[in-house]
Amino acid sequence: MSHPHPELPLPPELPADGLRIVALGGLGEVGRNMAVLEHRGRLLIIDCGVLFPEDHQPGVDLILPDFEYIADRMDDVEAIVLTHGHEDHIGAVPYLLRLRRDIPIYGSQLTLAFIEAKLKEHRIKPVTHVVAEGDSVQLGEFGCEFVAVNHSIPDALAVAVTTAAGTVLHTGDFKMDQLPLDGRVTDLRAFARLGEKGVDLFMVDSTNAEVPGFVTNEAEIGPVLDNVFAQAEKRIVVASFSSHVHRVQQVLNAAHAHGRKVAFVGRSMVRNMGIAAELGYLDVPPGVLIELKQATNLPDDQVVYMSTGSQGEPMAALSRMANGDHKVNVGHGDTVILASSLIPGNENSVFRVINGLTRLGARVVHSGNAKVHVSGHASAGELLYCYNILRPKNVMPVHGEVRHLVANAALAVKTGVPADRVVLAEDGVVVDLVDGKASVVGAVPCGYVFVDGSSVGEVTESELKDRRTLGEEGFVSVFAVVDTATGKVLAGPQLLARGMAEDDAVFSEIQPDVVQALEDAIAGGATDTYQLQQIMRRVIGRWVNRRLRRRPMIVPVVVEA
């Protein structure tokens, strides 16, 4: 297996008959999935999603793929192909379209409906083309055939991309549920047909590669939800991804069976389920759906709130309920169901919400204590089936953290794929398919692009470090007025601390040392205010570290009289 190296050089020029694959996100992380395929000077983009921030990225709203690699080649882009409608696959499309608004977008009906609604909020009217399983389209140098795959959202597609350099099969996110709620199974017959023709590179979902066996069927969740509903005494709150149409369908069915009404909570939940119902992907039993304000007038045992926030997102409805900061006041006797799996990195946020809801007296049902969710990603047993059906010439695990990619690579080798034909890459690593062999040839810069309010890409890692310091260590400002002619400190130093347990009076101890350091520096010929500010910073920093065992952010200001 070929591993990326941290010091990979920039890639060489792509051979005329070669196909280049560069992941700008989704390799080494769960989210911001985006792959760029290049052949004969033209580009095809598969997915363009976002990554949600973790605790060590304060103030960040979203994390985008790094478009720098293709920013000056937007005219070379033939199209964007979207495999399905989850945020980690479509969420960054509005930001990419800012670079060129008329890039054609191909996807299934539901996927395009979700992205069109999102783009409307960004005031962008896209050029969209609906495709379905079995369809084939020629996009410049790229022939694309779409294959039905099963996932935790309807209408997911894999895409087989055929070029003169060979055929790439990209699964998107998929699993092999044999009893899906919508009857739409992963089309293994199409996989087998593609395998017979020859798949030169198999780009395959790795998220569940460490999990042995097979994913439980979605159909098994319905009876569990039905049982929880039967036992619930008062209100029921169900939290799920705002695009998990199958899970919402099961909640609507259970509510109907137990004489309850359902109110959607959260802007994205209301929007997405409205779209799904309008297009026929969500079958709403008559009279079950009500407005949120109507729910407050019903008895507690007749209400279900279908909410966002299953990953503990701070501003989502469920987190605000747990904090007592939402119009839905969760209390004793209520039942809360977290109908989702934990995305790696969100554990602390989710457990914080569970603890908050439990403290309020609610019974919290989650995947750790009941079968209320199944994954949307193929486990190891399903992946083995795919490798044996396809017999790909080369394999490139995608979508997952490094451990998931490595586990997926090991499965490929077990089924007979030669180890030197399994490519392990991370974001920015360049993989070329030339003469039937895929190999790492270099890397391109590929960092995180942070969205913070209305700013995109302006927040840097250095600024995030400053935010963490402010949050964890506090802040000290120090002000002094000096006369460089006489070498005296005329006023100050005045110190003000924030976010520190100690009273400002404790700093009187260091003031004489700061004055002495400034006067010594001026006597030594230092007259530049920046230089004097750094002297103040060093003196105070050493003292605070030694005396208070802290490393706060120190902002010194020196004014010359």
Side-chain angles (χ1 to χ4, degrees), residues 416-427:
V417 180
D420 65 344
R421 295 295 185 105
V422 179
V423 179
L424 279 172
E426 293 184 73
D427 294 344

Side-chain angles (χ1 to χ4, degrees), residues 197-439:
K197 286 168 62 179
V199 171
D200 296 284
L201 180 63
F202 188 31
M203 298 176 69
V204 55
D205 180 12
S206 308
T207 313
N208 258 2
E210 289 185 311
V211 180
F214 294 76
V215 173
T216 306
N217 296 323
E218 291 276 356
E220 294 187 26
I221 303 301
V224 178
L225 285 174
D226 194 68
N227 186 43
V228 174
F229 273 52
Q231 295 176 16
E233 300 169 5
K234 293 187 177 179
R235 295 174 299 178
I236 298 173
V237 179
V238 185
S240 174
F241 293 117
S242 62
S243 53
H244 202 329
V245 179
H246 297 321
R247 193 69 68 247
V248 174
Q249 182 70 67
Q250 289 170 316
V251 170
L252 291 174
N253 294 345
H256 185 57
H258 292 275
R260 289 179 179 261
K261 306 291 185 185
V262 178
F264 291 145
V265 184
R267 191 165 58 97
S268 58
M269 181 69 74
V270 172
R271 181 189 68 197
N272 289 347
M273 290 309 119
I275 292 169
E278 189 180 323
L279 295 177
Y281 293 94
L282 186 69
D283 180 19
V284 182
V288 166
L289 211 54
I290 57 171
E291 295 289 331
L292 181 58
K293 58 187 175 187
Q294 294 176 266
T296 55
N297 300 322
L298 290 175
D300 286 354
D301 61 355
Q302 292 180 23
V303 177
V304 178
Y305 295 102
M306 188 73 226
S307 165
T308 57
S310 61
Q311 294 302 309
E313 305 96 315
M315 296 309 296
L318 193 67
S319 292
R320 290 165 54 206
M321 290 179 202
N323 295 332
D325 183 31
H326 195 276
K327 60 183 75 173
V328 177
N329 296 308
V330 173
H332 186 76
D334 291 339
T335 300
V336 179
I337 305 169
L338 270 72
S340 68
S341 55
L342 273 175
I343 292 177
N346 292 348
E347 294 87 351
N348 289 342
S349 300
V350 172
F351 293 142
R352 193 179 302 123
V353 168
I354 291 173
N355 286 326
L357 294 166
T358 305
R359 191 176 291 113
L360 293 172
R363 175 196 175 203
V364 183
V365 180
H366 53 88
S367 56
N369 59 24
K371 201 71 179 173
V372 289
H373 182 72
V374 297
S375 175
H377 304 270
S379 291
E382 294 154 81
L383 294 173
L384 290 171
Y385 261 95
C386 286
Y387 287 129
N388 284 329
I389 288 168
L390 282 163
R391 292 291 175 194
K393 296 181 180 69
N394 300 270
V395 170
M396 180 178 171
V398 296
H399 303 172
E401 297 179 356
V402 173
R403 60 196 172 97
H404 304 132
L405 304 178
V406 170
N408 200 353
L411 294 174
V413 172
K414 278 184 183 176
T415 62
V417 180
D420 65 344
R421 295 295 185 105
V422 179
V423 179
L424 279 172
E426 293 184 73
D427 294 344
V429 170
V430 179
V431 176
D432 282 359
L433 178 66
V434 179
D435 296 330
K437 188 175 191 306
S439 54

